[in-house]
């Protein structure tokens, strides 16, 4: 019988929920050592063996460690099979799951792709998609998937070229020359591949080592199955970065070859008859994004005191502007894909909140301090490494210089971002350059073209973004600053933004074009006046930061080189959105006086639906609201493990030692948000969709017999009828 619900409470707007959540999280962040952590306690804290994580690279594969720890032969052949079974897709990871090019990944990894293949009158994000035949599989425009086919350590060639050179610029030129030579050589070696091949040079250990990665790129990628958005993001932002979790975050793609036929990979991950249990080992293979585990203490303190707080404030204010548009013009917001923009920002907001908590955690920072102490001692005690001895102090000096520009960082953060910035401010910057070029008798065509290229934003959104930027000026520069005074002129940020949009010829594209055409645009326009006030300070800040970043990068490379000389491959490099493999075990954990189970089931979805009801983050699509006949609600849905994952690992396959697929990584818990800086498996968990739930959904709910049959038999079925005829 249908599950009833009598909860008629209105659903809170997304922006308000996010802001409230942020306030609660920030209020809970430790600002100093908690009372239960004394100085004596901190003095006993030491760095752990795996504090820098387990994001192992394939060129430095941990063959002995895996073999000894988990009791199977993790040889070169095993790592090659693992590597070739996995793909990198835009922003995420994926894997081959059949010999016919079928690929599994997360739903949230292909949200944009689903939108791009949606036809008029459809709403595939909300309704889901199932291709009932090969012919119905929809090619995704401007999409690709990369397979790592070769890895080569080129560190020796790079250092051999740059070490004799003293001048920094000349060293950079020599390094680029080596990169170009290696790319050309590897492209020639792999020129016989039937698909496009490209070479990426990846700095590891921040430039302490270098690897050349050769990727085979597939550009014919088609959507096969996608869950409904409400199932793929069940629980919404409230459940994001939490566990226990109840989320069917999966989608299926298929790779086609140049002849338009399903691609036949040499290696793929098989779906097992059984899933994982508590204590089972899993290996997660994918492309973790950039982490900061190898940063110095002074770099971490700069992040804590300047960068992360400024970004948190920016995410919050831009989310409020997007939510205002969603409330005022819901249909327009939907056509602009504002939901996806907000999902991305809210994800970053929550992640940065967790980062700030980690940076303010005295135990974590003490562990980082101890690890740095050990490295300093090792460098200082080795005559061959003493040339690196002053690297720490030079990095410290740069952090002090960056901190001196902290107010500029907050005021101008993402100023030129076309998606989240005021179009009027962007036009004003172009207009200033255009008018200056005209006054000097120079060529103003480039500035004119840039000025006319800035498109309009909906009025509500433009007002929101401009108001947010004016508040940034007031918050970080102060009321007495010329930029703030020019922007506000004694008004509130909202009042000043509305007045500027009404008075300036740059308030929309039509007025801008007219003012250029009739020559009425001049330096007295209020938006141009604002640009004239802010550009000198913005340019000074931008040039200074570019110099700091360049110098800091060189020093980090020197430190990375010294670190590798001390520890070798026992410490993996920071994440670089390049292929990695990490190990862990399926495991629950203790939290809030209770225990999180190793896995959850479909029962939990219906518990939450009944408790929260329709029009909540725990709503269910129509075909799910009554438990479908034949769906075993005790089927494992999500599970947690200690594997070391990070952003970019979304869609990564979790596999057994036999390279059987058991789950798709899609999230971390709150306790795992510290992984930007440190890996702590005691409480941190990655969260995965169990393949048993995916199989059950495909079979019972989405009635995709041909895909289930393909997963079970490895055979390709062109239609549902063909699968049925084969006994499905």
């Amino acid at each position: 019988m249908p599950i009833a619900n009598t909860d008629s409470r209105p659903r809170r707007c997304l922006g308000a929920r996010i802001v409230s959540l942020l306030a609660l999280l920030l209020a809970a962040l430790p600002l100093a050592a908690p009372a239960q952590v004394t100085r004596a306690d901190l003095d006993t804290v030491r760095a752990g063996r795996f504090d820098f994580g387990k994001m192992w690279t394939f060129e430095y594969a941990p063959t002995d460690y895996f073999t000894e720890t988990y009791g199977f032969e993790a040889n070169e052949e095993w790592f090659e099979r693992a590597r070739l079974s996995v793909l990198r897709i835009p922003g995420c990871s994926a894997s081959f799951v059949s010999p016919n090019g079928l690929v599994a990944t997360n739903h949230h990894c292909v949200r944009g792709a689903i939108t791009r293949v949606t036809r008029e009158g459809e709403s595939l994000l909300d309704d889901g998609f199932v291709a009932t035949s090969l012919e119905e599989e929809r090619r995704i425009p401007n999409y690709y998937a990369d397979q790592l086919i070769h890895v080569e350590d080129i560190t020796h060639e790079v250092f051999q070229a740059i070490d004799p050179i003293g001048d920094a610029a000349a060293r950079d030129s020599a390094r680029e020359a080596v990169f170009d030579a290696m790319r050309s050589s590897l492209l020639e070696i792999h020129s016989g591949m039937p698909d496009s091949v490209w070479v990426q040079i990846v700095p590891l250990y921040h430039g302490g080592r270098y690897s050349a990665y050769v990727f085979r790129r597939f550009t014919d990628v088609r959507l096969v199955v996608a869950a409904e958005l409400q199932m793929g993001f069940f629980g919404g932002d409230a459940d994001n970065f939490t566990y226990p979790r109840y989320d069917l975050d999966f989608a299926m793609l298929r790779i086609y070859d140049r002849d338009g036929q399903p691609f036949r990979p040499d290696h793929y991950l098989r779906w097992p008859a059984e899933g994982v249990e508590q204590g089972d080992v899993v290996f997660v293979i994918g492309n973790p994004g950039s982490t900061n585990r190898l940063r110095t203490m002074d770099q971490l303190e700069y992040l804590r005191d300047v960068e992360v707080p400024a970004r948190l404030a920016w995410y919050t204010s831009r989310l409020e502007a997007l939510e205002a548009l969603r409330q005022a013009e819901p249909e327009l917001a939907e056509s602009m894909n504002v939901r996806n923009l907000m999902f991305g920002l809210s994800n970053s907001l929550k992640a940065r909140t967790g980062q700030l908590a980690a940076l303010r955690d005295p135990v974590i920072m003490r562990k980082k301090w101890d690890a740095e102490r050990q490295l300093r001692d090792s460098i200082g005690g080795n005559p061959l490494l003493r040339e690196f001895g002053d690297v720490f102090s030079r990095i410290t000096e740069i952090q002090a210089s960056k901190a001196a520009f902290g107010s500029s960082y907050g005021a101008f953060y993402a100023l030129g971002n076309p998606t989240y910035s005021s179009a009027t401010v962007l036009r004003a910057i172009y207009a200033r350059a255009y008018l200056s070029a005209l006054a000097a008798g120079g060529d103003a065509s480039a500035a004119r073209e840039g000025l006319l290229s800035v498109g309009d934003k909906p009025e509500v959104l433009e007002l929101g973004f401009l108001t947010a930027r004016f508040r940034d000026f007031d918050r970080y520069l102060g009321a007495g600053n010329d930029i703030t005074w020019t922007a506000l002129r004694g008004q509130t940020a909202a009042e000043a933004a509305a007045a500027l949009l009404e008075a300036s010829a740059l308030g929309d594209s039509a007025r801008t074009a007219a003012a250029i055409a009739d020559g009425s645009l001049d330096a007295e326009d209020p938006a141009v006046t604002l640009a004239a006030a802010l550009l000198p300070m913005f340019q000074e800040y931008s040039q200074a930061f570019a110099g700091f970043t360049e110098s800091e990068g060189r020093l980090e490379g020197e430190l990375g080189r010294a670190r590798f000389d001390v520890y070798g491959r026992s410490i993996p490099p920071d994440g670089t959105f390049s292929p990695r493999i990490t190990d862990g075990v399926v495991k629950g954990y203790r939290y809030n006086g209770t225990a999180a189970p190793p896995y959850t089931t479909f029962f939990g979805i219906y518990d939450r639906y009944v408790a929260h009801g329709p029009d909540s983050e725990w709503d269910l699509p129509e075909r799910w609201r009554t438990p479908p006949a034949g769906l075993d609600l005790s089927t494992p849905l999500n599970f947690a493990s200690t594997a070391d994952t990070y952003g970019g690992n979304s869609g990564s396959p979790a596999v057994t030692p036999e390279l059987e697929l058991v789950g798709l990584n899609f999230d971390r818990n709150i306790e795992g948000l510290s992984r930007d800086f440190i890996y702590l498996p005691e409480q941190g968990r990655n969260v995965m969709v169990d393949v048993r739930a995916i199989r059950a959904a495909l079979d019972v709910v989405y009635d995709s017999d041909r895909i289930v049959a393909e997963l079970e038999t490895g055979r390709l079925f062109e239609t549902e009828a063909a699968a049925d005829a084969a006994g499905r």
Side-chain angles (χ1 to χ4, degrees):
M1 60 183 294
I3 295 179
N5 174 69
T6 57
D7 188 350
S8 59
R9 292 170 295 178
R11 185 177 183 181
R12 295 178 63 200
C13 71
L14 178 60
R17 289 196 306 275
I18 291 168
V19 173
S20 298
L21 174 64
L22 176 64
L24 290 172
L25 289 172
L26 289 178
L29 297 181
L31 299 177
Q36 67 270 25
V37 182
T38 66
R39 170 51 56 186
D41 292 330
L42 291 177
D43 287 342
T44 66
V45 172
R46 295 290 180 267
R49 176 185 176 187
F50 293 116
D51 282 0
F52 290 102
K54 296 183 175 184
M55 293 179 180
W56 312 108
T57 65
F58 283 93
E59 60 269 47
Y60 308 138
T63 53
D64 293 340
Y65 163 64
F66 277 14
T67 300
E68 294 167 3
T69 304
Y70 300 113
F72 74 101
E73 188 177 359
N75 53 26
E76 290 184 10
E77 180 186 359
W78 187 90
F79 281 100
E80 181 179 26
R81 288 169 53 207
R83 170 172 53 81
L84 291 174
S85 297
V86 177
L87 299 165
R88 184 169 68 182
I89 59 177
C92 286
S93 305
S95 56
F96 287 117
V97 294
S98 90
N100 311 298
L102 192 65
V103 169
T105 189
N106 287 154
H107 181 277
H108 77 261
C109 291
V110 294
R111 277 191 199 129
I114 294 170
T115 300
R116 295 208 295 277
V117 301
T118 298
R119 297 167 182 166
E120 187 175 354
E122 295 179 331
S123 181
L124 299 187
L125 270 181
D126 292 319
D127 299 335
F129 175 76
V130 178
T132 60
S133 66
L134 276 180
E135 187 178 359
E136 290 184 4
E137 296 178 359
R138 298 189 185 180
R139 184 167 183 172
I140 305 167
N142 304 315
Y143 201 75
Y144 61 86
D146 289 336
Q147 180 190 43
L148 179 60
I149 60 174
H150 178 74
V151 187
E152 193 164 320
D153 187 331
I154 63 169
T155 305
H156 174 73
E157 290 83 351
V158 173
F159 289 161
Q160 187 177 49
I162 68 174
D163 281 353
I165 303 173
D167 178 71
R171 286 167 65 92
D172 290 344
S173 296
R175 183 185 294 107
E176 288 301 321
V178 174
F179 291 172
D180 290 341
M182 292 304 302
R183 289 190 189 98
S184 297
S185 174
L186 289 168
L187 285 173
E188 183 176 354
I189 291 171
H190 295 277
S191 61
M193 294 291 294
D195 296 278
S196 62
V197 172
W198 71 289
V199 178
Q200 179 185 15
I201 307 298
V202 180
L204 302 173
Y205 302 96
H206 302 280
R209 307 287 293 181
Y210 292 91
S211 290
Y213 288 5
V214 183
F215 290 97
R216 180 179 187 176
R217 172 158 290 184
F218 303 96
T219 55
D220 189 346
V221 185
R222 306 187 192 185
L223 182 66
V224 179
V225 178
E228 303 91 341
L229 175 61
Q230 195 57 34
M231 297 302 296
F233 197 43
F234 188 77
D237 188 73
D239 276 4
N240 193 25
F241 292 122
T242 67
Y243 188 80
R245 193 72 179 273
Y246 308 86
D247 205 341
L248 194 62
D249 193 351
F250 90 99
M252 295 283 188
L253 310 172
R254 194 183 303 278
I255 304 293
Y256 283 72
D257 62 24
R258 285 191 169 183
D259 296 325
Q261 298 300 312
F263 175 69
R264 304 280 298 180
D266 292 330
H267 300 285
Y268 66 95
L269 305 174
R270 289 168 174 80
W271 285 44
E274 303 294 333
V276 289
E277 303 294 339
Q278 170 98 339
D280 286 352
V281 59
V282 290
F283 303 93
V284 179
I285 314 163
N287 303 274
S290 298
T291 56
N292 291 283
R293 298 173 181 180
L294 304 183
R295 307 288 181 187
T296 69
M297 284 297 296
D298 289 298
Q299 288 176 305
L300 296 181
E301 288 169 357
Y302 168 78
L303 290 173
R304 179 194 66 197
D305 298 338
V306 178
E307 185 173 308
V308 177
R311 291 195 180 194
L312 283 172
W314 186 88
Y315 293 135
T316 303
S317 61
R318 273 57 183 184
L319 274 165
E320 289 173 339
L322 288 166
E323 178 62 26
L325 173 64
R326 223 165 65 104
Q327 292 295 312
E329 301 184 65
E331 292 184 4
L332 175 61
E334 186 66 18
S335 70
M336 293 174 57
N337 209 15
V338 165
R339 277 193 296 178
N340 275 357
L341 294 178
M342 295 185 73
F343 288 153
L345 283 183
S346 62
N347 188 69
S348 297
L349 172 65
K350 210 166 185 180
R352 292 286 180 183
T353 303
Q355 289 175 2
L356 188 57
L359 292 168
R360 290 177 172 177
D361 186 302
V363 174
I364 288 176
M365 294 299 274
R366 184 68 179 186
K367 288 171 76 70
K368 299 298 294 184
W369 176 88
D370 185 59
E372 183 170 310
R373 175 193 61 79
Q374 294 180 40
L375 178 59
R376 285 176 181 261
D377 291 347
S378 296
I379 292 174
N382 187 336
L384 299 177
L385 298 178
R386 285 178 184 164
E387 63 178 296
F388 301 109
D390 67 339
V391 170
F392 286 100
S393 61
R394 290 159 66 193
I395 290 177
T396 298
E397 292 171 1
I398 290 175
Q399 305 319 299
S401 299
K402 287 164 61 177
F405 281 89
S407 58
S408 296
Y409 182 90
F412 301 131
Y413 178 71
L415 180 66
N417 185 306
T419 303
Y420 300 107
S421 291
S422 158
T424 304
V425 170
L426 295 179
R427 290 191 193 101
I429 293 172
Y430 279 119
R432 174 69 176 171
Y434 169 71
L435 293 172
S436 296
L438 287 180
D443 183 5
S445 59
R448 180 180 183 276
E449 182 179 346
L451 175 54
L452 291 173
S453 70
V454 179
D456 290 326
K457 288 183 168 65
E459 291 182 12
V460 173
L461 189 60
E462 176 65 16
L463 178 61
F465 282 164
L466 187 58
T467 300
R469 183 59 66 184
F470 284 2
R471 285 174 179 156
D472 293 339
F473 294 155
D474 192 28
R475 178 186 299 115
Y476 295 105
L477 303 179
N481 185 275
D482 285 346
I483 297 173
T484 308
W485 185 88
T486 303
L488 300 185
R489 299 183 182 275
Q491 304 172 91
T492 67
E495 292 168 345
L500 179 66
L501 291 175
E502 182 177 353
S504 173
L506 304 177
D508 62 59
S509 58
R511 283 187 287 161
T512 299
I516 292 175
D518 64 20
S520 62
L521 181 64
D522 60 33
E524 300 305 313
D525 184 281
V528 179
T529 302
L530 175 61
L534 73 84
L535 279 173
M537 186 175 183
F538 175 68
Q539 290 167 345
E540 179 189 12
Y541 151 75
S542 299
Q543 291 169 4
F545 249 74
F548 299 151
T549 300
E550 183 179 2
S551 299
E552 191 172 13
R554 291 195 179 109
L555 291 171
E556 286 181 319
E558 293 182 28
L559 185 57
R561 191 169 177 177
R563 187 189 302 274
F564 193 85
D565 285 343
V566 172
Y567 297 115
R569 62 182 65 184
S570 66
I571 290 180
D574 264 318
T576 51
F577 195 53
S578 57
R580 305 292 181 91
I581 182 167
T582 178
D583 57 299
V585 294
V586 177
K587 192 176 183 180
Y589 61 101
R590 308 291 302 185
Y591 78 114
N592 291 344
T594 186
Y599 62 84
T600 62
T601 70
F602 279 113
F603 276 119
I605 282 183
Y606 290 98
D607 286 341
R608 278 143 191 80
Y609 172 63
V610 171
H612 298 279
D615 299 322
S616 74
E617 290 93 337
W618 298 271
D619 196 0
L620 286 171
E622 188 64 35
R623 63 178 155 191
W624 283 90
R625 287 188 175 180
T626 299
L631 181 64
D632 182 354
L633 299 186
S634 67
T635 302
L637 175 58
N638 297 154
F639 68 92
S641 90
T642 61
D644 181 15
T645 63
Y646 196 71
N649 271 124
S650 289
S652 292
V655 303
T656 65
E658 294 75 32
L659 293 179
E660 292 183 323
L661 180 70
V662 292
L664 300 177
N665 184 84
F666 72 95
D667 206 358
R668 286 166 284 149
N669 62 356
I670 287 287
E671 293 84 353
L673 291 177
S674 61
R675 287 184 180 177
D676 191 12
F677 312 110
I678 193 169
Y679 169 65
L680 299 174
E682 296 84 2
Q683 293 291 99
R685 295 290 183 272
N686 72 309
V687 187
M688 292 169 277
V689 186
D690 198 301
V691 295
R692 290 170 285 190
I694 297 174
R695 179 188 280 115
L698 288 170
D699 191 14
V700 178
V701 184
Y702 300 124
D703 198 24
S704 185
D705 289 346
R706 73 183 190 95
I707 300 303
V708 175
E710 181 177 348
L711 293 169
E712 292 177 347
T713 68
R715 294 170 54 194
L716 180 65
F717 298 93
E718 294 193 11
T719 64
E720 292 292 344
D724 293 340
R728 277 299 305 167

